[in-house]
Amino acid sequence: MIATEQSLSRATVARYAVGSLGTGGFATLPGLVLVYYLTDSLGVAALAAGVVVTVAKVWDVIIDPVIGARSDQMLAVRGSRRPMMLLGGAALPVFFLLTFAVPPGTPAVAAALWVLLAFVLTATAFSLFQVPYIALPAELASGYDQRTRLLTWRVVVLTFAILLFGAGGPALRSLGGGNSFAGYLLMALVAGVVIGAGMLASAFVAPRGLPAAVPPPKESVAATLRSNYAAGVRVLRDSQPFRALLLTFLLQGLATGMMLAGANYVATWVLRSEDAVTFLFVALIAPALVVTPLWGVVARRVGKERGFVVASILFAAAALSMLGLLWAPGAWVYAPVAVAGAAYAGMQSLPMAMLPDVISHDARRNDEGRAGTFGGMWTAGETTGMALGATVLSLVLAVSGYVSRTAAESAGAAQPGSAVAGIVLSFSLIPAAVVAISLVPLARYRLRKEDIDGVV
Protein backbone atom coordinates (compact mmCIF):
# COMPACT_ATOMS: atom_id res chain seq x y z
CA MET A 1 0.00 0.00 0.00
CA ILE A 2 1.57 3.28 -1.16
CA ALA A 3 0.28 6.59 0.19
CA THR A 4 -1.98 8.66 -2.03
CA GLU A 5 -1.48 12.41 -2.34
CA GLN A 6 -2.57 13.99 0.95
CA SER A 7 -1.43 16.48 3.56
CA LEU A 8 1.05 15.07 6.04
CA SER A 9 -0.18 16.06 9.52
CA ARG A 10 2.08 17.18 12.35
CA ALA A 11 0.71 14.39 14.53
CA THR A 12 1.75 11.77 12.00
CA VAL A 13 5.22 13.28 11.68
CA ALA A 14 5.60 13.39 15.48
CA ARG A 15 4.33 9.85 16.11
CA TYR A 16 6.52 8.43 13.39
CA ALA A 17 9.58 10.37 14.55
CA VAL A 18 9.32 9.22 18.18
CA GLY A 19 10.04 5.67 17.01
CA SER A 20 13.60 6.78 16.41
CA LEU A 21 13.96 7.22 20.16
CA GLY A 22 13.89 3.42 20.21
CA THR A 23 15.75 2.69 16.99
CA GLY A 24 18.43 5.28 17.75
CA GLY A 25 18.87 4.01 21.29
CA PHE A 26 19.26 0.40 20.22
CA ALA A 27 21.55 1.28 17.31
CA THR A 28 23.77 3.41 19.56
CA LEU A 29 24.13 1.88 23.00
CA PRO A 30 25.00 -1.76 22.15
CA GLY A 31 27.29 -0.54 19.37
CA LEU A 32 29.03 1.74 21.86
CA VAL A 33 29.41 -0.52 24.89
CA LEU A 34 28.86 -4.17 23.97
CA VAL A 35 32.34 -5.05 22.67
CA TYR A 36 33.89 -2.98 25.48
CA TYR A 37 31.64 -4.73 28.02
CA LEU A 38 32.89 -8.10 26.78
CA THR A 39 36.59 -7.22 26.66
CA ASP A 40 36.92 -4.89 29.66
CA SER A 41 34.30 -6.17 32.10
CA LEU A 42 33.86 -9.88 31.35
CA GLY A 43 37.44 -10.61 30.27
CA VAL A 44 36.50 -11.98 26.84
CA ALA A 45 39.32 -11.82 24.27
CA ALA A 46 38.93 -9.08 21.63
CA LEU A 47 38.58 -11.50 18.73
CA ALA A 48 35.99 -13.61 20.59
CA ALA A 49 34.07 -10.45 21.51
CA GLY A 50 33.93 -9.53 17.85
CA VAL A 51 32.64 -13.00 17.00
CA VAL A 52 29.84 -12.69 19.57
CA VAL A 53 28.64 -9.36 18.18
CA THR A 54 29.02 -10.50 14.58
CA VAL A 55 27.09 -13.76 15.05
CA ALA A 56 24.24 -11.87 16.70
CA LYS A 57 24.17 -9.41 13.81
CA VAL A 58 24.36 -12.18 11.22
CA TRP A 59 21.22 -13.59 12.81
CA ASP A 60 19.65 -10.19 12.18
CA VAL A 61 20.63 -10.40 8.54
CA ILE A 62 19.05 -13.85 8.30
CA ILE A 63 15.72 -12.90 9.84
CA ASP A 64 15.22 -9.34 8.54
CA PRO A 65 14.11 -10.32 5.02
CA VAL A 66 11.81 -12.95 6.55
CA ILE A 67 10.27 -10.39 8.90
CA GLY A 68 9.92 -7.96 6.01
CA ALA A 69 7.95 -10.42 3.91
CA ARG A 70 5.83 -11.46 6.90
CA SER A 71 5.14 -7.77 7.54
CA ASP A 72 3.83 -7.40 4.00
CA GLN A 73 1.67 -10.49 4.50
CA MET A 74 0.33 -9.11 7.80
CA LEU A 75 -0.58 -5.88 6.02
CA ALA A 76 -2.49 -7.86 3.40
CA VAL A 77 -4.29 -10.09 5.92
CA ARG A 78 -4.91 -7.71 8.85
CA GLY A 79 -4.66 -4.34 7.15
CA SER A 80 -1.83 -3.10 9.40
CA ARG A 81 1.79 -3.73 10.35
CA ARG A 82 1.07 -2.62 13.93
CA PRO A 83 0.83 -5.99 15.82
CA MET A 84 4.37 -7.00 14.85
CA MET A 85 5.71 -3.61 15.95
CA LEU A 86 3.95 -3.82 19.32
CA LEU A 87 5.37 -7.29 19.98
CA GLY A 88 8.92 -6.09 19.30
CA GLY A 89 8.54 -3.01 21.50
CA ALA A 90 7.20 -5.05 24.43
CA ALA A 91 9.85 -7.81 24.28
CA LEU A 92 12.99 -5.75 23.73
CA PRO A 93 13.45 -4.23 27.24
CA VAL A 94 13.42 -7.69 28.88
CA PHE A 95 16.07 -9.20 26.61
CA PHE A 96 18.16 -6.01 26.64
CA LEU A 97 18.39 -6.16 30.43
CA LEU A 98 19.40 -9.83 30.29
CA THR A 99 22.24 -9.01 27.87
CA PHE A 100 23.99 -6.90 30.51
CA ALA A 101 23.09 -9.10 33.51
CA VAL A 102 26.00 -11.60 33.41
CA PRO A 103 26.80 -12.43 37.08
CA PRO A 104 30.25 -11.37 38.34
CA GLY A 105 32.82 -14.17 38.24
CA THR A 106 31.23 -15.98 35.30
CA PRO A 107 33.97 -17.69 33.21
CA ALA A 108 34.76 -15.85 30.00
CA VAL A 109 33.42 -18.58 27.70
CA ALA A 110 30.13 -18.86 29.60
CA ALA A 111 29.84 -15.07 29.75
CA ALA A 112 30.32 -14.80 25.99
CA LEU A 113 27.62 -17.43 25.35
CA TRP A 114 25.22 -15.69 27.77
CA VAL A 115 25.66 -12.36 25.98
CA LEU A 116 25.33 -14.01 22.58
CA LEU A 117 22.00 -15.71 23.37
CA ALA A 118 20.49 -12.68 25.12
CA PHE A 119 21.59 -10.28 22.41
CA VAL A 120 20.24 -12.52 19.64
CA LEU A 121 16.83 -12.43 21.36
CA THR A 122 17.12 -8.65 21.79
CA ALA A 123 18.01 -8.19 18.13
CA THR A 124 15.04 -10.34 17.09
CA ALA A 125 12.65 -8.19 19.11
CA PHE A 126 14.19 -5.07 17.60
CA SER A 127 13.77 -6.40 14.06
CA LEU A 128 10.07 -7.08 14.68
CA PHE A 129 9.68 -3.33 15.17
CA GLN A 130 12.37 -1.89 12.91
CA VAL A 131 11.59 -3.70 9.66
CA PRO A 132 7.92 -2.61 9.39
CA TYR A 133 8.88 0.81 10.77
CA ILE A 134 11.27 1.32 7.85
CA ALA A 135 8.49 0.38 5.41
CA LEU A 136 5.95 2.91 6.77
CA PRO A 137 7.06 6.18 5.07
CA ALA A 138 5.87 4.99 1.68
CA GLU A 139 2.43 4.42 3.28
CA LEU A 140 2.34 7.57 5.41
CA ALA A 141 3.54 10.18 2.91
CA SER A 142 3.37 10.73 -0.83
CA GLY A 143 5.68 12.83 -2.94
CA TYR A 144 9.39 13.59 -2.88
CA ASP A 145 9.21 16.59 -0.52
CA GLN A 146 6.65 15.12 1.92
CA ARG A 147 8.88 12.12 2.50
CA THR A 148 11.87 14.39 2.98
CA ARG A 149 9.91 16.25 5.68
CA LEU A 150 8.80 13.02 7.38
CA LEU A 151 12.28 11.50 7.39
CA THR A 152 14.04 14.75 8.33
CA TRP A 153 12.12 14.98 11.61
CA ARG A 154 12.64 11.29 12.22
CA VAL A 155 16.38 11.92 11.98
CA VAL A 156 16.11 14.91 14.34
CA VAL A 157 14.73 12.51 16.96
CA LEU A 158 17.26 9.86 15.93
CA THR A 159 20.07 12.36 16.46
CA PHE A 160 18.66 13.30 19.86
CA ALA A 161 18.43 9.60 20.74
CA ILE A 162 22.07 9.05 19.79
CA LEU A 163 23.04 11.91 22.11
CA LEU A 164 20.74 10.71 24.87
CA PHE A 165 21.94 7.11 24.83
CA GLY A 166 25.52 7.73 23.71
CA ALA A 167 26.16 10.23 26.49
CA GLY A 168 23.52 9.10 28.98
CA GLY A 169 24.31 5.37 28.80
CA PRO A 170 27.91 5.71 30.01
CA ALA A 171 26.75 8.31 32.55
CA LEU A 172 24.23 5.81 33.97
CA ARG A 173 26.97 3.18 34.02
CA SER A 174 29.18 5.52 36.04
CA LEU A 175 26.29 6.34 38.38
CA GLY A 176 25.77 2.63 39.04
CA GLY A 177 29.40 1.96 39.84
CA GLY A 178 31.33 2.31 36.59
CA ASN A 179 32.65 -0.67 34.67
CA SER A 180 30.92 -3.17 36.97
CA PHE A 181 27.90 -5.49 37.17
CA ALA A 182 25.76 -2.87 38.96
CA GLY A 183 26.81 -0.12 36.54
CA TYR A 184 25.85 -2.06 33.43
CA LEU A 185 22.63 -3.37 35.00
CA LEU A 186 21.40 0.15 35.84
CA MET A 187 22.29 1.34 32.35
CA ALA A 188 20.46 -1.57 30.69
CA LEU A 189 17.35 -1.23 32.86
CA VAL A 190 16.80 2.48 32.24
CA ALA A 191 17.84 2.40 28.58
CA GLY A 192 15.73 -0.69 27.80
CA VAL A 193 12.58 0.88 29.24
CA VAL A 194 13.10 4.13 27.27
CA ILE A 195 13.84 2.25 24.03
CA GLY A 196 10.74 0.09 24.44
CA ALA A 197 8.55 3.08 25.27
CA GLY A 198 9.59 4.91 22.11
CA MET A 199 8.88 1.86 19.99
CA LEU A 200 5.48 1.18 21.53
CA ALA A 201 4.40 4.81 21.17
CA SER A 202 5.36 4.91 17.51
CA ALA A 203 3.71 1.58 16.63
CA PHE A 204 0.31 3.29 16.69
CA VAL A 205 1.22 5.47 13.70
CA ALA A 206 0.98 2.38 11.46
CA PRO A 207 -2.14 2.85 9.28
CA ARG A 208 -5.05 0.50 9.82
CA GLY A 209 -6.76 -0.27 6.54
CA LEU A 210 -9.00 -3.01 5.23
CA PRO A 211 -7.46 -6.47 4.96
CA ALA A 212 -7.37 -8.29 1.67
CA ALA A 213 -10.65 -9.94 0.75
CA VAL A 214 -8.88 -13.24 0.16
CA PRO A 215 -5.87 -13.84 2.43
CA PRO A 216 -2.79 -15.37 0.81
CA PRO A 217 -2.55 -19.16 1.14
CA LYS A 218 -0.59 -20.57 4.06
CA GLU A 219 2.78 -22.12 3.31
CA SER A 220 5.05 -24.52 5.17
CA VAL A 221 7.89 -22.98 7.19
CA ALA A 222 10.48 -24.12 4.63
CA ALA A 223 8.41 -22.78 1.74
CA THR A 224 7.89 -19.49 3.59
CA LEU A 225 11.62 -19.06 4.16
CA ARG A 226 12.37 -19.81 0.52
CA SER A 227 9.72 -17.40 -0.74
CA ASN A 228 10.80 -14.64 1.64
CA TYR A 229 14.45 -14.84 0.63
CA ALA A 230 13.45 -15.07 -3.01
CA ALA A 231 11.44 -11.86 -2.54
CA GLY A 232 14.52 -10.14 -1.11
CA VAL A 233 16.64 -11.27 -4.03
CA ARG A 234 13.98 -10.04 -6.46
CA VAL A 235 13.92 -6.50 -5.08
CA LEU A 236 17.70 -6.36 -5.36
CA ARG A 237 17.52 -7.66 -8.91
CA ASP A 238 14.64 -5.42 -10.01
CA SER A 239 15.73 -2.10 -8.48
CA GLN A 240 19.12 -0.74 -9.51
CA PRO A 241 18.64 2.43 -7.39
CA PHE A 242 18.04 0.22 -4.35
CA ARG A 243 21.21 -1.79 -4.97
CA ALA A 244 23.27 1.38 -5.24
CA LEU A 245 21.71 3.02 -2.18
CA LEU A 246 21.88 -0.11 -0.02
CA LEU A 247 25.56 -0.79 -0.77
CA THR A 248 26.42 2.83 0.01
CA PHE A 249 24.53 2.69 3.31
CA LEU A 250 26.08 -0.68 4.22
CA LEU A 251 29.63 0.62 3.72
CA GLN A 252 28.91 3.77 5.67
CA GLY A 253 27.35 1.66 8.43
CA LEU A 254 30.64 -0.25 8.62
CA ALA A 255 32.58 3.00 9.02
CA THR A 256 30.29 4.56 11.62
CA GLY A 257 29.85 1.23 13.44
CA MET A 258 33.61 0.93 13.77
CA MET A 259 33.91 4.44 15.19
CA LEU A 260 30.97 3.87 17.52
CA ALA A 261 32.43 0.65 18.92
CA GLY A 262 35.83 2.31 19.20
CA ALA A 263 34.70 5.41 21.12
CA ASN A 264 34.98 3.77 24.55
CA TYR A 265 38.49 2.58 23.71
CA VAL A 266 39.51 6.05 22.52
CA ALA A 267 38.18 7.58 25.74
CA THR A 268 39.92 5.04 28.00
CA TRP A 269 43.27 4.45 26.31
CA VAL A 270 43.88 7.55 24.15
CA LEU A 271 42.21 10.35 26.13
CA ARG A 272 42.85 8.42 29.37
CA SER A 273 39.36 8.83 30.85
CA GLU A 274 36.34 6.51 30.54
CA ASP A 275 34.13 9.53 31.16
CA ALA A 276 35.49 11.19 28.00
CA VAL A 277 33.13 9.03 25.95
CA THR A 278 30.28 11.25 27.17
CA PHE A 279 32.05 14.37 25.87
CA LEU A 280 32.80 12.64 22.57
CA PHE A 281 29.09 12.03 22.09
CA VAL A 282 28.08 15.53 23.08
CA ALA A 283 30.61 16.87 20.55
CA LEU A 284 29.28 14.47 17.91
CA ILE A 285 25.56 14.97 18.34
CA ALA A 286 25.03 18.53 19.59
CA PRO A 287 25.94 20.05 16.18
CA ALA A 288 23.90 17.36 14.42
CA LEU A 289 20.77 18.39 16.32
CA VAL A 290 21.16 21.89 14.91
CA VAL A 291 22.05 21.02 11.32
CA THR A 292 19.73 18.05 10.64
CA PRO A 293 16.87 20.29 9.38
CA LEU A 294 19.43 22.10 7.22
CA TRP A 295 20.11 18.89 5.30
CA GLY A 296 16.43 18.92 4.36
CA VAL A 297 16.94 22.43 2.93
CA VAL A 298 20.02 21.20 1.05
CA ALA A 299 17.98 18.30 -0.36
CA ARG A 300 15.30 20.65 -1.67
CA ARG A 301 17.90 22.94 -3.24
CA VAL A 302 20.33 20.48 -4.87
CA GLY A 303 18.67 17.07 -4.49
CA LYS A 304 18.99 14.37 -1.84
CA GLU A 305 21.63 12.44 -3.71
CA ARG A 306 23.98 15.43 -4.14
CA GLY A 307 23.50 16.42 -0.51
CA PHE A 308 24.36 12.85 0.46
CA VAL A 309 27.65 13.10 -1.45
CA VAL A 310 28.54 16.37 0.30
CA ALA A 311 27.77 14.91 3.74
CA SER A 312 29.86 11.80 3.02
CA ILE A 313 32.92 13.76 1.87
CA LEU A 314 32.69 16.05 4.91
CA PHE A 315 32.48 13.06 7.26
CA ALA A 316 35.47 11.31 5.65
CA ALA A 317 37.61 14.45 5.90
CA ALA A 318 36.74 14.94 9.57
CA ALA A 319 37.50 11.30 10.39
CA LEU A 320 40.83 11.41 8.58
CA SER A 321 41.92 14.49 10.53
CA MET A 322 41.61 12.52 13.79
CA LEU A 323 44.67 10.51 12.74
CA GLY A 324 46.52 13.26 14.61
CA LEU A 325 45.63 11.47 17.86
CA LEU A 326 48.60 9.19 17.14
CA TRP A 327 51.00 12.04 17.86
CA ALA A 328 49.01 14.56 19.91
CA PRO A 329 46.09 13.11 21.88
CA GLY A 330 44.01 15.81 23.48
CA ALA A 331 40.81 17.81 23.68
CA TRP A 332 41.30 19.21 20.15
CA VAL A 333 39.67 16.00 18.89
CA TYR A 334 36.23 17.31 19.88
CA ALA A 335 36.33 19.84 16.98
CA PRO A 336 36.62 17.28 14.13
CA VAL A 337 34.16 15.04 15.99
CA ALA A 338 31.66 17.92 15.86
CA VAL A 339 32.20 18.30 12.10
CA ALA A 340 31.72 14.54 11.68
CA GLY A 341 28.49 14.80 13.68
CA ALA A 342 27.09 17.50 11.42
CA ALA A 343 27.97 15.37 8.38
CA TYR A 344 26.56 12.21 9.98
CA ALA A 345 23.16 13.90 10.28
CA GLY A 346 23.09 14.19 6.50
CA MET A 347 24.39 10.66 6.04
CA GLN A 348 21.39 9.42 8.00
CA SER A 349 18.53 11.70 6.97
CA LEU A 350 19.18 11.81 3.23
CA PRO A 351 19.41 8.07 2.43
CA MET A 352 16.43 7.40 4.70
CA ALA A 353 14.48 9.97 2.69
CA MET A 354 15.70 8.39 -0.56
CA LEU A 355 14.51 4.90 0.40
CA PRO A 356 10.74 5.68 0.19
CA ASP A 357 11.42 7.21 -3.23
CA VAL A 358 13.02 3.94 -4.31
CA ILE A 359 10.01 2.00 -2.96
CA SER A 360 7.44 4.18 -4.72
CA HIS A 361 9.45 4.05 -7.96
CA ASP A 362 9.51 0.27 -7.74
CA ALA A 363 5.80 0.09 -6.89
CA ARG A 364 4.87 1.79 -10.14
CA ARG A 365 7.26 -0.31 -12.20
CA ASN A 366 6.82 -3.70 -10.55
CA ASP A 367 4.67 -4.47 -7.49
CA GLU A 368 3.03 -2.30 -4.82
CA GLY A 369 3.18 -4.97 -2.12
CA ARG A 370 6.95 -5.02 -1.51
CA ALA A 371 7.58 -2.16 0.93
CA GLY A 372 8.15 -4.57 3.84
CA THR A 373 10.57 -6.60 1.74
CA PHE A 374 12.53 -3.45 0.93
CA GLY A 375 12.49 -2.58 4.66
CA GLY A 376 13.77 -6.04 5.56
CA MET A 377 16.60 -5.89 3.06
CA TRP A 378 17.48 -2.35 4.15
CA THR A 379 17.59 -3.31 7.82
CA ALA A 380 19.65 -6.39 6.95
CA GLY A 381 22.13 -4.22 5.04
CA GLU A 382 22.34 -1.65 7.82
CA THR A 383 22.82 -4.41 10.39
CA THR A 384 25.51 -6.05 8.28
CA GLY A 385 27.42 -2.79 8.06
CA MET A 386 27.28 -2.15 11.80
CA ALA A 387 28.27 -5.76 12.53
CA LEU A 388 31.22 -5.57 10.17
CA GLY A 389 32.29 -2.35 11.90
CA ALA A 390 32.52 -4.15 15.25
CA THR A 391 34.19 -7.12 13.56
CA VAL A 392 36.88 -5.02 11.89
CA LEU A 393 37.50 -3.18 15.17
CA SER A 394 37.93 -6.47 17.05
CA LEU A 395 40.33 -7.74 14.36
CA VAL A 396 42.42 -4.56 14.60
CA LEU A 397 42.46 -4.84 18.40
CA ALA A 398 43.51 -8.50 18.25
CA VAL A 399 46.25 -7.90 15.66
CA SER A 400 47.60 -4.87 17.52
CA GLY A 401 47.88 -6.82 20.79
CA TYR A 402 44.98 -5.48 22.87
CA VAL A 403 44.89 -6.96 26.40
CA SER A 404 41.40 -7.87 27.70
CA ARG A 405 40.52 -7.52 31.41
CA THR A 406 37.70 -8.12 33.86
CA ALA A 407 36.07 -5.40 35.96
CA ALA A 408 38.10 -6.60 38.96
CA GLU A 409 41.35 -6.16 37.03
CA SER A 410 40.71 -2.60 35.87
CA ALA A 411 42.95 -0.87 38.39
CA GLY A 412 46.44 -0.32 37.03
CA ALA A 413 45.70 -1.94 33.67
CA ALA A 414 47.69 -0.78 30.64
CA GLN A 415 47.89 -1.40 26.90
CA PRO A 416 50.91 -1.69 24.58
CA GLY A 417 51.58 1.21 22.25
CA SER A 418 50.63 -0.91 19.25
CA ALA A 419 47.14 -1.44 20.68
CA VAL A 420 46.68 2.29 21.26
CA ALA A 421 47.77 2.95 17.66
CA GLY A 422 45.25 0.35 16.47
CA ILE A 423 42.49 2.11 18.39
CA VAL A 424 43.34 5.45 16.73
CA LEU A 425 43.44 3.93 13.24
CA SER A 426 40.04 2.34 13.87
CA PHE A 427 38.65 5.74 14.75
CA SER A 428 40.16 7.73 11.88
CA LEU A 429 41.98 6.40 8.81
CA ILE A 430 40.05 3.15 8.30
CA PRO A 431 36.52 4.68 8.58
CA ALA A 432 37.56 7.59 6.33
CA ALA A 433 38.77 5.13 3.67
CA VAL A 434 35.55 3.09 3.84
CA VAL A 435 33.34 6.18 3.44
CA ALA A 436 35.43 7.25 0.45
CA ILE A 437 34.86 3.83 -1.13
CA SER A 438 31.10 4.17 -0.50
CA LEU A 439 30.97 7.09 -2.95
CA VAL A 440 31.54 4.63 -5.83
CA PRO A 441 28.12 2.89 -5.56
CA LEU A 442 26.47 6.20 -4.64
CA ALA A 443 27.57 7.58 -8.02
CA ARG A 444 25.39 4.89 -9.62
CA TYR A 445 22.19 6.11 -7.91
CA ARG A 446 20.30 7.88 -10.70
CA LEU A 447 16.81 8.64 -9.34
CA ARG A 448 16.02 12.36 -9.28
CA LYS A 449 13.08 14.46 -8.08
CA GLU A 450 11.41 14.45 -11.49
CA ASP A 451 11.58 10.64 -11.60
CA ILE A 452 9.79 10.38 -8.25
CA ASP A 453 7.12 13.05 -8.56
CA GLY A 454 6.37 11.75 -12.00
CA VAL A 455 5.28 8.32 -10.68
CA VAL A 456 3.65 8.92 -7.27
Side-chain angles (χ1 to χ4, degrees), residues 44-334:
V44 177
L47 193 57
V51 169
V52 168
V53 175
T54 301
V55 169
K57 294 296 187 179
V58 166
W59 171 250
D60 253 3
V61 174
I62 292 172
I63 64 170
D64 282 346
V66 177
I67 290 175
R70 302 301 289 181
S71 174
D72 286 338
Q73 186 179 49
M74 178 174 286
L75 180 66
V77 174
R78 300 192 181 185
S80 179
R81 304 182 192 272
R82 186 182 301 175
M84 184 178 287
M85 298 171 71
L86 289 172
L87 177 60
L92 186 141
V94 177
F95 297 133
F96 190 74
L97 180 62
L98 287 174
T99 301
F100 293 95
V102 181
T106 302
V109 173
L113 291 174
W114 176 307
V115 172
L116 174 61
L117 178 60
F119 193 57
V120 162
L121 292 171
T122 308
T124 302
F126 178 70
S127 291
L128 289 172
F129 173 84
Q130 168 79 344
V131 172
Y133 180 71
I134 288 291
L136 287 180
E139 299 164 15
L140 295 173
S142 62
Y144 186 91
D145 291 329
Q146 280 198 23
R147 289 174 187 145
T148 300
R149 178 186 166 213
L150 181 67
L151 272 298
T152 294
W153 285 106
R154 176 196 164 186
V155 174
V156 170
V157 177
L158 178 67
T159 305
F160 171 75
I162 293 171
L163 175 60
L164 178 66
F165 289 92
L172 284 169
R173 180 181 61 186
S174 296
L175 184 64
N179 190 35
S180 65
F181 174 75
Y184 279 105
L185 200 65
L186 176 63
M187 178 200 75
L189 176 63
V190 175
V193 169
V194 176
I195 289 171
M199 293 162 67
L200 289 171
S202 188
F204 289 95
V205 79
R208 299 191 69 175
L210 294 175
V214 180
K218 292 184 177 180
E219 298 178 309
S220 68
V221 174
T224 298
L225 289 173
R226 284 195 302 270
S227 63
N228 289 347
Y229 282 111
V233 171
R234 281 196 298 273
V235 298
L236 285 172
R237 181 196 64 203
D238 295 343
S239 178
Q240 187 279 332
F242 184 62
R243 292 196 301 272
L245 188 62
L246 181 62
L247 181 55
T248 302
F249 203 64
L250 186 154
L251 289 169
Q252 294 191 357
L254 191 161
T256 55
M258 192 174 189
M259 294 180 74
L260 181 63
N264 249 312
Y265 295 96
V266 170
T268 301
W269 302 113
V270 180
L271 301 180
R272 310 303 299 180
S273 169
E274 284 189 346
D275 292 335
V277 71
T278 297
F279 298 106
L280 283 172
F281 264 85
V282 170
L284 178 73
I285 302 305
L289 282 170
V290 176
V291 305
T292 294
L294 298 181
W295 286 113
V297 176
V298 170
R300 288 190 291 273
R301 294 284 180 86
V302 304
K304 301 173 193 178
E305 63 291 333
R306 294 187 184 93
F308 192 13
V309 171
V310 172
S312 302
I313 293 173
L314 187 61
F315 183 92
L320 184 61
S321 72
M322 288 185 275
L323 190 60
L325 287 170
L326 281 173
W327 303 281
W332 65 267
V333 74
Y334 298 126

